[in-house]
Amino acid sequence: MNQTYIALIQQRGDWWIGWIEEISGVNCQEKTREELLDTLRITLLEALEFNR
């Protein structure tokens, strides 16, 4: 079963920040948008595994 999550991202100065709306504590910051999306995916998977 696939679950869909919403990633909210924005650029603030030189940094990209983002978080997963449905899961508290899944937030990241990176220098590029692509790095941010990768880090959010990894962090989300870790949080889901931890809470399983």
Side-chain angles (χ1 to χ4, degrees), residues 4-48:
T4 301
Y5 296 93
I6 297 170
L8 301 172
I9 64 171
Q10 54 185 242
Q11 189 172 17
R12 290 194 182 167
D14 293 336
W15 291 92
W16 284 87
I17 63 168
W19 57 95
I20 302 298
E21 189 171 62
E22 297 83 0
I23 301 182
S24 176
V26 177
N27 51 69
C28 303
Q29 145 181 331
E30 295 289 350
K31 281 290 196 176
T32 69
R33 183 180 187 274
E34 292 76 22
E35 288 175 327
L36 174 64
L37 292 174
D38 286 342
T39 303
L40 279 172
R41 282 187 196 101
I42 291 166
T43 306
L44 172 61
L45 290 173
E46 289 174 352
L48 292 173

